[in-house]
Amino acid sequence: MEQVLRVEGLKASYGGQEVLHGVNLTVQRGEKVVIMGPSGSGKSTLLKCIVHLIKPKSGRIILDGEDLSDGGVDLKKVRAKTGFVFQQYNLFPHMNVLRNLTLPLEVVKKVPRSEAEARALQLLKAFGLEEFAYKYPLQLSGGQQQRVAIARALIMDPVLLLLDEPTSALDPELRREVLETLVDIAKQGRSMLIVTHELDFAEAAADRILLMDKGVIVEEGEPWELLYRPKSEMARRFLVEIRAVVHHKPKS
Amino acid sequence: MNESFFFIASLLPELVKGLQITLEISLVSFILGLGLAVILLPLRIYAPLPFSTLSRGYVELFRGTPLLVQLLLIYFGLPSLGLKLDAYTACVIAISLNSAAYQSEILRSAVKSIPEMQFLAAESLGFSTLQTYRHVILPQTLRTAIPALVNEMVTLVKESSLASVLGVVELTRRGEYLVAYTFRALEVYVAVALIYLAACTILSQAARGLEKKLRIPGYEKGVV
């Protein structure tokens, strides 16, 4: 199988402190990989490093056949090939939903306005968001904003979709609509790398789970393996904690 | 008292002609200043050291010296370098350059209110620095800055009275002429002051309307 992402010995600092101490990982084309780990373990930094939103200190990142550590590589082109979904949605608040989707197509991919709008409306329709096309982001609920943000990432037809805790900022009742959207996308065969604590989602959609702690990957495996037969003590403790949190949440 | 009232009323048509020039100078200078500030701003927030220092030096220079001195320098000083400007042009240039310094400071503090994540979001989509500035940062910055920019515009309406020193016949200068004809300084200058007051009040009100109109929908109810 072809690799869409390969990370080797990645080290990175954040705020003067080294938070990634040599991370290795691969994502095959079409594979869904979930990254879990306690807060502060470096998951979010890892994701941002992959598209150089945070500059890594050392190590290699090969994305869709291009080596990003090679100085001559055009980061803008690499980023246009990946979709990034942030925890806080980060839509552009001064543009309506439709414009949020068409702007990157027009600016980055030079798609003409009319074609960009047609594609955006089609995608919004597929997401059940077409009634919000002319609304502004801050007029929507958090779940709706996050789904628009996912649509904005997808409209660029990325070879790899990176999601950084896409449901963490949402109330429990809004998580489900976002997770359902993500499961749909996962079924369409797109390569995805997702940082999340949603165990049900990981079990339903992931091909593989990586567990991070203190800046390294401590364990990896298929969902059933990692979630029900964890090998390391760290993984066992983490899962107990996270399940306790989940069970205290009101059922939605 | 009644007589003074009618006298002041009779001055109005003459003074309104001056007001037109006053508004013209301030509006043109404001727009030119804003244009320059929009160019200076990315130099201050993105550009490497020599450029950012240069643009900071520019701001310090124009904020640290009196506008009157800048006017005199450009009108009386530049001819000795071979550049002779008429009084009106000299005024517009001096006030524009001066206002650009203030406006670039206004924009700089407005930029700070835009979440860092907006830059990251644009970058993550493959935008260049300039595209991010043009489509994402600048439109939000200008909206945030509207109240402060209007303040600056109102300041320019008042400061443009300095143009009278160079002999530009704007509102204040017209008042001076009328005093010379009528010897009634009190009434004339009261009339001049009232016209400035009216113009500035109308501007501030109009700005409040503009601010409401351009406000980002949904902004009132929550955080960005």
mmCIF file of all heavy atoms in Angstrom, chain A residues 48 53 76 79-80 82 84 86 90-95 103-104 107-108 110 136 138-140 152 156, chain B residues 117-118 120-128 131 135-136 139-140 143 216-219 221 223-224:
data_model
loop_
_atom_site.group_PDB
_atom_site.id
_atom_site.type_symbol
_atom_site.label_atom_id
_atom_site.label_comp_id
_atom_site.label_asym_id
_atom_site.label_seq_id
_atom_site.Cartn_x
_atom_site.Cartn_y
_atom_site.Cartn_z
ATOM 1 N N LYS A 48 0.190 19.887 13.965
ATOM 2 C CA LYS A 48 0.560 21.190 13.388
ATOM 3 C C LYS A 48 1.933 21.132 12.725
ATOM 4 O O LYS A 48 2.176 21.800 11.734
ATOM 5 C CB LYS A 48 0.520 22.281 14.460
ATOM 6 C CG LYS A 48 -0.909 22.584 14.901
ATOM 7 C CD LYS A 48 -0.990 23.854 15.730
ATOM 8 C CE LYS A 48 -2.421 24.180 16.087
ATOM 9 N NZ LYS A 48 -2.733 23.896 17.498
ATOM 10 N N LEU A 53 2.723 24.256 10.504
ATOM 11 C CA LEU A 53 2.129 25.407 11.182
ATOM 12 C C LEU A 53 2.963 25.706 12.426
ATOM 13 O O LEU A 53 3.005 26.806 12.927
ATOM 14 C CB LEU A 53 0.668 25.139 11.568
ATOM 15 C CG LEU A 53 -0.323 25.079 10.392
ATOM 16 C CD1 LEU A 53 -1.714 24.731 10.869
ATOM 17 C CD2 LEU A 53 -0.335 26.367 9.595
ATOM 18 N N LYS A 76 3.163 26.312 0.781
ATOM 19 C CA LYS A 76 1.787 26.671 0.429
ATOM 20 C C LYS A 76 1.138 25.549 -0.371
ATOM 21 O O LYS A 76 -0.011 25.188 -0.153
ATOM 22 C CB LYS A 76 1.767 27.969 -0.393
ATOM 23 C CG LYS A 76 2.243 29.171 0.392
ATOM 24 C CD LYS A 76 1.914 30.465 -0.328
ATOM 25 C CE LYS A 76 2.726 30.691 -1.592
ATOM 26 N NZ LYS A 76 4.157 30.887 -1.321
ATOM 27 N N ARG A 79 0.409 22.588 1.907
ATOM 28 C CA ARG A 79 -0.755 22.834 2.753
ATOM 29 C C ARG A 79 -2.053 22.774 1.957
ATOM 30 O O ARG A 79 -3.088 22.346 2.461
ATOM 31 C CB ARG A 79 -0.638 24.198 3.432
ATOM 32 C CG ARG A 79 0.412 24.199 4.527
ATOM 33 C CD ARG A 79 0.597 25.595 5.053
ATOM 34 N NE ARG A 79 1.671 25.642 6.039
ATOM 35 C CZ ARG A 79 2.448 26.691 6.221
ATOM 36 N NH1 ARG A 79 2.274 27.771 5.482
ATOM 37 N NH2 ARG A 79 3.386 26.667 7.137
ATOM 38 N N ALA A 80 -1.987 23.208 0.693
ATOM 39 C CA ALA A 80 -3.192 23.161 -0.135
ATOM 40 C C ALA A 80 -3.609 21.714 -0.411
ATOM 41 O O ALA A 80 -4.750 21.445 -0.749
ATOM 42 C CB ALA A 80 -2.948 23.915 -1.444
ATOM 43 N N THR A 82 -3.409 19.363 1.908
ATOM 44 C CA THR A 82 -3.938 18.765 3.131
ATOM 45 C C THR A 82 -5.087 19.623 3.641
ATOM 46 O O THR A 82 -5.155 20.810 3.368
ATOM 47 C CB THR A 82 -2.863 18.724 4.235
ATOM 48 O OG1 THR A 82 -2.411 20.058 4.450
ATOM 49 C CG2 THR A 82 -1.714 17.838 3.857
ATOM 50 N N PHE A 84 -6.991 20.916 7.142
ATOM 51 C CA PHE A 84 -6.741 20.973 8.581
ATOM 52 C C PHE A 84 -7.999 21.474 9.278
ATOM 53 O O PHE A 84 -8.528 22.521 8.935
ATOM 54 C CB PHE A 84 -5.568 21.913 8.884
ATOM 55 C CG PHE A 84 -4.924 21.659 10.224
ATOM 56 C CD1 PHE A 84 -3.691 21.030 10.307
ATOM 57 C CD2 PHE A 84 -5.551 22.031 11.400
ATOM 58 C CE1 PHE A 84 -3.096 20.766 11.542
ATOM 59 C CE2 PHE A 84 -4.964 21.776 12.637
ATOM 60 C CZ PHE A 84 -3.732 21.151 12.705
ATOM 61 N N PHE A 86 -9.494 22.605 12.923
ATOM 62 C CA PHE A 86 -9.044 23.000 14.255
ATOM 63 C C PHE A 86 -10.114 22.727 15.310
ATOM 64 O O PHE A 86 -11.301 22.662 15.004
ATOM 65 C CB PHE A 86 -8.735 24.502 14.278
ATOM 66 C CG PHE A 86 -7.633 24.916 13.351
ATOM 67 C CD1 PHE A 86 -7.893 25.217 12.011
ATOM 68 C CD2 PHE A 86 -6.333 25.019 13.808
ATOM 69 C CE1 PHE A 86 -6.873 25.604 11.161
ATOM 70 C CE2 PHE A 86 -5.307 25.412 12.958
ATOM 71 C CZ PHE A 86 -5.581 25.706 11.629
ATOM 72 N N ASN A 90 -12.263 28.019 13.684
ATOM 73 C CA ASN A 90 -11.484 29.029 12.955
ATOM 74 C C ASN A 90 -12.012 29.353 11.575
ATOM 75 O O ASN A 90 -11.253 29.509 10.619
ATOM 76 C CB ASN A 90 -10.023 28.605 12.815
ATOM 77 C CG ASN A 90 -9.337 28.590 14.150
ATOM 78 O OD1 ASN A 90 -9.723 29.338 15.041
ATOM 79 N ND2 ASN A 90 -8.355 27.740 14.299
ATOM 80 N N LEU A 91 -13.320 29.479 11.465
ATOM 81 C CA LEU A 91 -13.870 30.001 10.214
ATOM 82 C C LEU A 91 -13.561 31.492 10.171
ATOM 83 O O LEU A 91 -13.225 32.089 11.182
ATOM 84 C CB LEU A 91 -15.380 29.763 10.180
ATOM 85 C CG LEU A 91 -15.778 28.287 10.135
ATOM 86 C CD1 LEU A 91 -17.272 28.136 10.354
ATOM 87 C CD2 LEU A 91 -15.381 27.670 8.797
ATOM 88 N N PHE A 92 -13.696 32.076 8.963
ATOM 89 C CA PHE A 92 -13.463 33.513 8.858
ATOM 90 C C PHE A 92 -14.785 34.224 9.172
ATOM 91 O O PHE A 92 -15.728 34.133 8.390
ATOM 92 C CB PHE A 92 -12.952 33.867 7.464
ATOM 93 C CG PHE A 92 -11.689 33.119 7.108
ATOM 94 C CD1 PHE A 92 -11.551 32.493 5.880
ATOM 95 C CD2 PHE A 92 -10.647 33.028 8.022
ATOM 96 C CE1 PHE A 92 -10.392 31.793 5.561
ATOM 97 C CE2 PHE A 92 -9.483 32.329 7.708
ATOM 98 C CZ PHE A 92 -9.361 31.710 6.477
ATOM 99 N N PRO A 93 -14.864 34.936 10.307
ATOM 100 C CA PRO A 93 -16.161 35.422 10.789
ATOM 101 C C PRO A 93 -16.768 36.530 9.926
ATOM 102 O O PRO A 93 -17.960 36.762 9.987
ATOM 103 C CB PRO A 93 -15.845 35.952 12.194
ATOM 104 C CG PRO A 93 -14.390 36.242 12.177
ATOM 105 C CD PRO A 93 -13.776 35.254 11.235
ATOM 106 N N HIS A 94 -15.934 37.194 9.118
ATOM 107 C CA HIS A 94 -16.444 38.333 8.346
ATOM 108 C C HIS A 94 -16.997 37.913 6.979
ATOM 109 O O HIS A 94 -17.356 38.755 6.177
ATOM 110 C CB HIS A 94 -15.351 39.379 8.176
ATOM 111 C CG HIS A 94 -14.122 38.860 7.482
ATOM 112 N ND1 HIS A 94 -13.350 37.841 8.005
ATOM 113 C CD2 HIS A 94 -13.542 39.200 6.324
ATOM 114 C CE1 HIS A 94 -12.353 37.605 7.193
ATOM 115 N NE2 HIS A 94 -12.445 38.412 6.160
ATOM 116 N N MET A 95 -17.020 36.623 6.702
ATOM 117 C CA MET A 95 -17.573 36.156 5.421
ATOM 118 C C MET A 95 -18.683 35.153 5.705
ATOM 119 O O MET A 95 -18.615 34.440 6.706
ATOM 120 C CB MET A 95 -16.528 35.394 4.612
ATOM 121 C CG MET A 95 -15.240 36.058 4.493
ATOM 122 S SD MET A 95 -14.078 34.930 3.733
ATOM 123 C CE MET A 95 -12.707 36.051 3.680
ATOM 124 N N LEU A 103 -13.577 31.007 -0.972
ATOM 125 C CA LEU A 103 -12.348 31.812 -0.951
ATOM 126 C C LEU A 103 -11.074 30.988 -1.162
ATOM 127 O O LEU A 103 -10.275 31.311 -2.037
ATOM 128 C CB LEU A 103 -12.269 32.633 0.344
ATOM 129 C CG LEU A 103 -11.071 33.585 0.403
ATOM 130 C CD1 LEU A 103 -11.262 34.768 -0.537
ATOM 131 C CD2 LEU A 103 -10.819 34.089 1.813
ATOM 132 N N PRO A 104 -10.882 29.901 -0.384
ATOM 133 C CA PRO A 104 -9.654 29.133 -0.624
ATOM 134 C C PRO A 104 -9.579 28.535 -2.027
ATOM 135 O O PRO A 104 -8.499 28.487 -2.618
ATOM 136 C CB PRO A 104 -9.692 28.038 0.448
ATOM 137 C CG PRO A 104 -11.053 28.055 1.021
ATOM 138 C CD PRO A 104 -11.620 29.403 0.778
ATOM 139 N N VAL A 107 -8.643 31.624 -4.231
ATOM 140 C CA VAL A 107 -7.337 32.225 -3.956
ATOM 141 C C VAL A 107 -6.203 31.232 -4.174
ATOM 142 O O VAL A 107 -5.201 31.541 -4.798
ATOM 143 C CB VAL A 107 -7.306 32.772 -2.515
ATOM 144 C CG1 VAL A 107 -5.896 33.134 -2.095
ATOM 145 C CG2 VAL A 107 -8.216 33.981 -2.392
ATOM 146 N N VAL A 108 -6.393 30.015 -3.668
ATOM 147 C CA VAL A 108 -5.284 29.063 -3.692
ATOM 148 C C VAL A 108 -5.299 28.225 -4.969
ATOM 149 O O VAL A 108 -4.270 28.014 -5.596
ATOM 150 C CB VAL A 108 -5.327 28.153 -2.449
ATOM 151 C CG1 VAL A 108 -4.193 27.147 -2.473
ATOM 152 C CG2 VAL A 108 -5.255 28.994 -1.180
ATOM 153 N N LYS A 110 -7.209 28.892 -7.709
ATOM 154 C CA LYS A 110 -7.544 29.712 -8.889
ATOM 155 C C LYS A 110 -8.768 29.185 -9.642
ATOM 156 O O LYS A 110 -8.839 29.259 -10.865
ATOM 157 C CB LYS A 110 -6.354 29.806 -9.861
ATOM 158 C CG LYS A 110 -5.027 30.167 -9.206
ATOM 159 C CD LYS A 110 -4.992 31.605 -8.748
ATOM 160 C CE LYS A 110 -3.711 31.910 -7.968
ATOM 161 N NZ LYS A 110 -3.911 32.872 -6.891
ATOM 162 N N TYR A 136 -23.649 33.901 8.545
ATOM 163 C CA TYR A 136 -22.263 34.124 8.956
ATOM 164 C C TYR A 136 -21.911 33.133 10.067
ATOM 165 O O TYR A 136 -22.772 32.732 10.845
ATOM 166 C CB TYR A 136 -22.077 35.575 9.408
ATOM 167 C CG TYR A 136 -22.027 36.517 8.241
ATOM 168 C CD1 TYR A 136 -23.200 36.859 7.562
ATOM 169 C CD2 TYR A 136 -20.825 37.028 7.773
ATOM 170 C CE1 TYR A 136 -23.166 37.683 6.457
ATOM 171 C CE2 TYR A 136 -20.786 37.865 6.666
ATOM 172 C CZ TYR A 136 -21.950 38.188 6.018
ATOM 173 O OH TYR A 136 -21.901 39.004 4.912
ATOM 174 N N LEU A 138 -20.658 33.157 13.002
ATOM 175 C CA LEU A 138 -21.038 33.367 14.400
ATOM 176 C C LEU A 138 -22.542 33.288 14.620
ATOM 177 O O LEU A 138 -23.008 33.343 15.745
ATOM 178 C CB LEU A 138 -20.486 34.697 14.906
ATOM 179 C CG LEU A 138 -18.955 34.787 14.903
ATOM 180 C CD1 LEU A 138 -18.493 36.162 15.342
ATOM 181 C CD2 LEU A 138 -18.350 33.727 15.800
ATOM 182 N N GLN A 139 -23.296 33.162 13.542
ATOM 183 C CA GLN A 139 -24.741 32.966 13.692
ATOM 184 C C GLN A 139 -25.100 31.489 13.809
ATOM 185 O O GLN A 139 -26.260 31.140 13.966
ATOM 186 C CB GLN A 139 -25.478 33.579 12.486
ATOM 187 C CG GLN A 139 -25.301 35.091 12.379
ATOM 188 C CD GLN A 139 -25.891 35.664 11.110
ATOM 189 O OE1 GLN A 139 -25.681 35.128 10.026
ATOM 190 N NE2 GLN A 139 -26.611 36.762 11.234
ATOM 191 N N LEU A 140 -24.086 30.617 13.670
ATOM 192 C CA LEU A 140 -24.344 29.174 13.719
ATOM 193 C C LEU A 140 -23.958 28.593 15.073
ATOM 194 O O LEU A 140 -23.208 29.195 15.833
ATOM 195 C CB LEU A 140 -23.519 28.449 12.638
ATOM 196 C CG LEU A 140 -23.617 28.949 11.212
ATOM 197 C CD1 LEU A 140 -22.832 28.030 10.295
ATOM 198 C CD2 LEU A 140 -25.053 29.023 10.753
ATOM 199 N N ARG A 152 -14.944 23.139 4.568
ATOM 200 C CA ARG A 152 -13.925 24.024 4.002
ATOM 201 C C ARG A 152 -12.630 23.255 3.754
ATOM 202 O O ARG A 152 -11.936 23.490 2.757
ATOM 203 C CB ARG A 152 -13.663 25.199 4.959
ATOM 204 C CG ARG A 152 -12.601 26.145 4.447
ATOM 205 C CD ARG A 152 -12.404 27.346 5.346
ATOM 206 N NE ARG A 152 -11.790 26.991 6.628
ATOM 207 C CZ ARG A 152 -11.477 27.873 7.563
ATOM 208 N NH1 ARG A 152 -11.743 29.161 7.373
ATOM 209 N NH2 ARG A 152 -10.931 27.492 8.691
ATOM 210 N N MET A 156 -11.074 21.461 -0.747
ATOM 211 C CA MET A 156 -9.783 21.506 -1.423
ATOM 212 C C MET A 156 -9.361 20.114 -1.893
ATOM 213 O O MET A 156 -8.267 19.941 -2.415
ATOM 214 C CB MET A 156 -8.716 22.073 -0.480
ATOM 215 C CG MET A 156 -9.057 23.428 0.122
ATOM 216 S SD MET A 156 -9.034 24.750 -1.086
ATOM 217 C CE MET A 156 -7.272 25.108 -1.143
ATOM 218 N N MET B 117 -5.184 32.357 15.629
ATOM 219 C CA MET B 117 -5.671 31.198 14.890
ATOM 220 C C MET B 117 -6.209 31.572 13.507
ATOM 221 O O MET B 117 -6.290 30.726 12.628
ATOM 222 C CB MET B 117 -6.762 30.478 15.683
ATOM 223 C CG MET B 117 -6.291 29.855 16.972
ATOM 224 S SD MET B 117 -4.918 28.724 16.724
ATOM 225 C CE MET B 117 -5.807 27.213 16.406
ATOM 226 N N GLN B 118 -6.611 32.827 13.323
ATOM 227 C CA GLN B 118 -7.067 33.244 11.997
ATOM 228 C C GLN B 118 -5.913 33.185 10.998
ATOM 229 O O GLN B 118 -6.095 32.806 9.841
ATOM 230 C CB GLN B 118 -7.654 34.661 12.061
ATOM 231 C CG GLN B 118 -9.002 34.723 12.755
ATOM 232 C CD GLN B 118 -10.124 34.219 11.865
ATOM 233 O OE1 GLN B 118 -10.299 34.664 10.744
ATOM 234 N NE2 GLN B 118 -10.887 33.277 12.372
ATOM 235 N N LEU B 120 -3.332 31.159 11.324
ATOM 236 C CA LEU B 120 -3.051 29.730 11.143
ATOM 237 C C LEU B 120 -4.061 29.075 10.194
ATOM 238 O O LEU B 120 -3.693 28.270 9.348
ATOM 239 C CB LEU B 120 -3.095 28.997 12.486
ATOM 240 C CG LEU B 120 -1.880 29.083 13.390
ATOM 241 C CD1 LEU B 120 -1.971 28.049 14.496
ATOM 242 C CD2 LEU B 120 -0.589 28.883 12.605
ATOM 243 N N ALA B 121 -5.352 29.442 10.369
ATOM 244 C CA ALA B 121 -6.385 28.842 9.530
ATOM 245 C C ALA B 121 -6.126 29.157 8.059
ATOM 246 O O ALA B 121 -6.205 28.287 7.193
ATOM 247 C CB ALA B 121 -7.761 29.337 9.946
ATOM 248 N N ALA B 122 -5.786 30.418 7.782
ATOM 249 C CA ALA B 122 -5.514 30.802 6.395
ATOM 250 C C ALA B 122 -4.277 30.090 5.875
ATOM 251 O O ALA B 122 -4.263 29.573 4.761
ATOM 252 C CB ALA B 122 -5.348 32.322 6.302
ATOM 253 N N GLU B 123 -3.246 30.040 6.718
ATOM 254 C CA GLU B 123 -2.012 29.338 6.315
ATOM 255 C C GLU B 123 -2.295 27.876 6.021
ATOM 256 O O GLU B 123 -1.779 27.307 5.067
ATOM 257 C CB GLU B 123 -0.989 29.402 7.453
ATOM 258 C CG GLU B 123 0.032 30.496 7.310
ATOM 259 C CD GLU B 123 1.061 30.411 8.435
ATOM 260 O OE1 GLU B 123 1.713 29.357 8.572
ATOM 261 O OE2 GLU B 123 1.181 31.387 9.181
ATOM 262 N N SER B 124 -3.118 27.268 6.863
ATOM 263 C CA SER B 124 -3.373 25.836 6.707
ATOM 264 C C SER B 124 -4.079 25.540 5.389
ATOM 265 O O SER B 124 -4.023 24.430 4.883
ATOM 266 C CB SER B 124 -4.200 25.301 7.876
ATOM 267 O OG SER B 124 -5.568 25.629 7.711
ATOM 268 N N LEU B 125 -4.763 26.550 4.829
ATOM 269 C CA LEU B 125 -5.449 26.351 3.550
ATOM 270 C C LEU B 125 -4.522 26.585 2.362
ATOM 271 O O LEU B 125 -4.904 26.378 1.223
ATOM 272 C CB LEU B 125 -6.645 27.301 3.454
ATOM 273 C CG LEU B 125 -7.822 26.981 4.377
ATOM 274 C CD1 LEU B 125 -8.737 28.182 4.509
ATOM 275 C CD2 LEU B 125 -8.590 25.782 3.863
ATOM 276 N N GLY B 126 -3.310 27.061 2.650
ATOM 277 C CA GLY B 126 -2.345 27.284 1.575
ATOM 278 C C GLY B 126 -2.245 28.735 1.133
ATOM 279 O O GLY B 126 -1.677 29.034 0.091
ATOM 280 N N PHE B 127 -2.811 29.664 1.924
ATOM 281 C CA PHE B 127 -2.714 31.086 1.592
ATOM 282 C C PHE B 127 -1.274 31.556 1.781
ATOM 283 O O PHE B 127 -0.600 31.131 2.712
ATOM 284 C CB PHE B 127 -3.592 31.923 2.539
ATOM 285 C CG PHE B 127 -5.065 31.878 2.231
ATOM 286 C CD1 PHE B 127 -5.693 30.713 1.868
ATOM 287 C CD2 PHE B 127 -5.831 33.031 2.331
ATOM 288 C CE1 PHE B 127 -7.056 30.679 1.610
ATOM 289 C CE2 PHE B 127 -7.195 33.013 2.078
ATOM 290 C CZ PHE B 127 -7.806 31.831 1.714
ATOM 291 N N SER B 128 -0.844 32.478 0.919
ATOM 292 C CA SER B 128 0.439 33.121 1.150
ATOM 293 C C SER B 128 0.233 34.200 2.216
ATOM 294 O O SER B 128 -0.898 34.538 2.562
ATOM 295 C CB SER B 128 0.941 33.767 -0.138
ATOM 296 O OG SER B 128 0.128 34.880 -0.451
ATOM 297 N N GLN B 131 -1.829 36.983 0.772
ATOM 298 C CA GLN B 131 -3.241 36.596 0.606
ATOM 299 C C GLN B 131 -3.954 36.567 1.959
ATOM 300 O O GLN B 131 -5.107 36.979 2.068
ATOM 301 C CB GLN B 131 -3.334 35.221 -0.065
ATOM 302 C CG GLN B 131 -2.976 35.254 -1.542
ATOM 303 C CD GLN B 131 -2.705 33.861 -2.109
ATOM 304 O OE1 GLN B 131 -2.455 32.911 -1.363
ATOM 305 N NE2 GLN B 131 -2.734 33.744 -3.429
ATOM 306 N N HIS B 135 -7.156 39.029 2.465
ATOM 307 C CA HIS B 135 -8.509 38.471 2.534
ATOM 308 C C HIS B 135 -9.000 38.219 3.957
ATOM 309 O O HIS B 135 -10.197 38.185 4.198
ATOM 310 C CB HIS B 135 -8.581 37.144 1.769
ATOM 311 C CG HIS B 135 -8.347 37.294 0.299
ATOM 312 N ND1 HIS B 135 -9.283 37.841 -0.549
ATOM 313 C CD2 HIS B 135 -7.275 36.989 -0.465
ATOM 314 C CE1 HIS B 135 -8.800 37.855 -1.772
ATOM 315 N NE2 HIS B 135 -7.586 37.347 -1.759
ATOM 316 N N VAL B 136 -8.077 37.960 4.861
ATOM 317 C CA VAL B 136 -8.505 37.530 6.202
ATOM 318 C C VAL B 136 -8.213 38.591 7.260
ATOM 319 O O VAL B 136 -9.084 38.963 8.033
ATOM 320 C CB VAL B 136 -7.813 36.192 6.582
ATOM 321 C CG1 VAL B 136 -8.210 35.759 7.987
ATOM 322 C CG2 VAL B 136 -8.183 35.124 5.561
ATOM 323 N N PRO B 139 -9.550 42.872 6.272
ATOM 324 C CA PRO B 139 -10.978 43.192 6.411
ATOM 325 C C PRO B 139 -11.452 43.183 7.867
ATOM 326 O O PRO B 139 -12.257 44.020 8.257
ATOM 327 C CB PRO B 139 -11.687 42.083 5.629
ATOM 328 C CG PRO B 139 -10.656 41.458 4.771
ATOM 329 C CD PRO B 139 -9.333 41.691 5.415
ATOM 330 N N GLN B 140 -10.922 42.270 8.653
ATOM 331 C CA GLN B 140 -11.329 42.222 10.066
ATOM 332 C C GLN B 140 -10.704 43.374 10.842
ATOM 333 O O GLN B 140 -11.325 43.954 11.731
ATOM 334 C CB GLN B 140 -10.913 40.889 10.686
ATOM 335 C CG GLN B 140 -11.622 39.702 10.066
ATOM 336 C CD GLN B 140 -11.365 38.410 10.826
ATOM 337 O OE1 GLN B 140 -11.701 38.278 11.983
ATOM 338 N NE2 GLN B 140 -10.746 37.441 10.162
ATOM 339 N N ARG B 143 -12.618 46.629 10.187
ATOM 340 C CA ARG B 143 -13.891 46.668 10.924
ATOM 341 C C ARG B 143 -13.667 47.005 12.389
ATOM 342 O O ARG B 143 -14.344 47.842 12.957
ATOM 343 C CB ARG B 143 -14.584 45.312 10.829
ATOM 344 C CG ARG B 143 -15.419 45.146 9.594
ATOM 345 C CD ARG B 143 -16.105 43.802 9.677
ATOM 346 N NE ARG B 143 -16.967 43.557 8.572
ATOM 347 C CZ ARG B 143 -16.588 43.137 7.384
ATOM 348 N NH1 ARG B 143 -15.308 42.959 7.146
ATOM 349 N NH2 ARG B 143 -17.465 42.919 6.425
ATOM 350 N N ILE B 216 -19.743 42.452 12.103
ATOM 351 C CA ILE B 216 -19.795 41.048 11.671
ATOM 352 C C ILE B 216 -21.054 40.403 12.241
ATOM 353 O O ILE B 216 -21.252 40.405 13.452
ATOM 354 C CB ILE B 216 -18.539 40.304 12.156
ATOM 355 C CG1 ILE B 216 -17.307 40.865 11.440
ATOM 356 C CG2 ILE B 216 -18.668 38.812 11.918
ATOM 357 C CD1 ILE B 216 -15.998 40.382 11.985
ATOM 358 N N PRO B 217 -21.925 39.845 11.389
ATOM 359 C CA PRO B 217 -23.175 39.269 11.877
ATOM 360 C C PRO B 217 -22.915 38.150 12.884
ATOM 361 O O PRO B 217 -22.054 37.299 12.663
ATOM 362 C CB PRO B 217 -23.838 38.714 10.616
ATOM 363 C CG PRO B 217 -23.224 39.477 9.507
ATOM 364 C CD PRO B 217 -21.816 39.778 9.932
ATOM 365 N N GLY B 218 -23.661 38.198 13.975
ATOM 366 C CA GLY B 218 -23.509 37.175 14.997
ATOM 367 C C GLY B 218 -22.471 37.551 16.035
ATOM 368 O O GLY B 218 -22.332 36.885 17.047
ATOM 369 N N TYR B 219 -21.730 38.630 15.796
ATOM 370 C CA TYR B 219 -20.631 39.007 16.686
ATOM 371 C C TYR B 219 -21.131 39.381 18.072
ATOM 372 O O TYR B 219 -20.504 39.085 19.067
ATOM 373 C CB TYR B 219 -19.870 40.189 16.083
ATOM 374 C CG TYR B 219 -18.544 40.452 16.725
ATOM 375 C CD1 TYR B 219 -17.419 39.740 16.316
ATOM 376 C CD2 TYR B 219 -18.411 41.378 17.748
ATOM 377 C CE1 TYR B 219 -16.198 39.965 16.908
ATOM 378 C CE2 TYR B 219 -17.191 41.596 18.347
ATOM 379 C CZ TYR B 219 -16.085 40.897 17.925
ATOM 380 O OH TYR B 219 -14.875 41.100 18.525
ATOM 381 N N LYS B 221 -23.416 38.254 19.926
ATOM 382 C CA LYS B 221 -23.850 37.258 20.911
ATOM 383 C C LYS B 221 -22.734 36.373 21.450
ATOM 384 O O LYS B 221 -22.962 35.596 22.361
ATOM 385 C CB LYS B 221 -24.963 36.394 20.322
ATOM 386 C CG LYS B 221 -24.504 35.514 19.184
ATOM 387 C CD LYS B 221 -25.575 34.554 18.733
ATOM 388 C CE LYS B 221 -25.015 33.655 17.658
ATOM 389 N NZ LYS B 221 -25.937 32.779 17.050
ATOM 390 N N VAL B 223 -18.236 35.114 21.622
ATOM 391 C CA VAL B 223 -16.822 35.354 21.406
ATOM 392 C C VAL B 223 -16.405 34.824 20.054
ATOM 393 O O VAL B 223 -17.070 33.960 19.491
ATOM 394 C CB VAL B 223 -15.978 34.642 22.484
ATOM 395 C CG1 VAL B 223 -16.013 35.422 23.758
ATOM 396 C CG2 VAL B 223 -16.460 33.230 22.700
ATOM 397 N N VAL B 224 -15.329 35.350 19.534
ATOM 398 C CA VAL B 224 -14.802 34.842 18.273
ATOM 399 C C VAL B 224 -13.947 33.623 18.565
ATOM 400 O O VAL B 224 -13.096 33.689 19.422
ATOM 401 C CB VAL B 224 -13.939 35.896 17.559
ATOM 402 C CG1 VAL B 224 -13.497 35.376 16.196
ATOM 403 C CG2 VAL B 224 -14.715 37.169 17.392
#
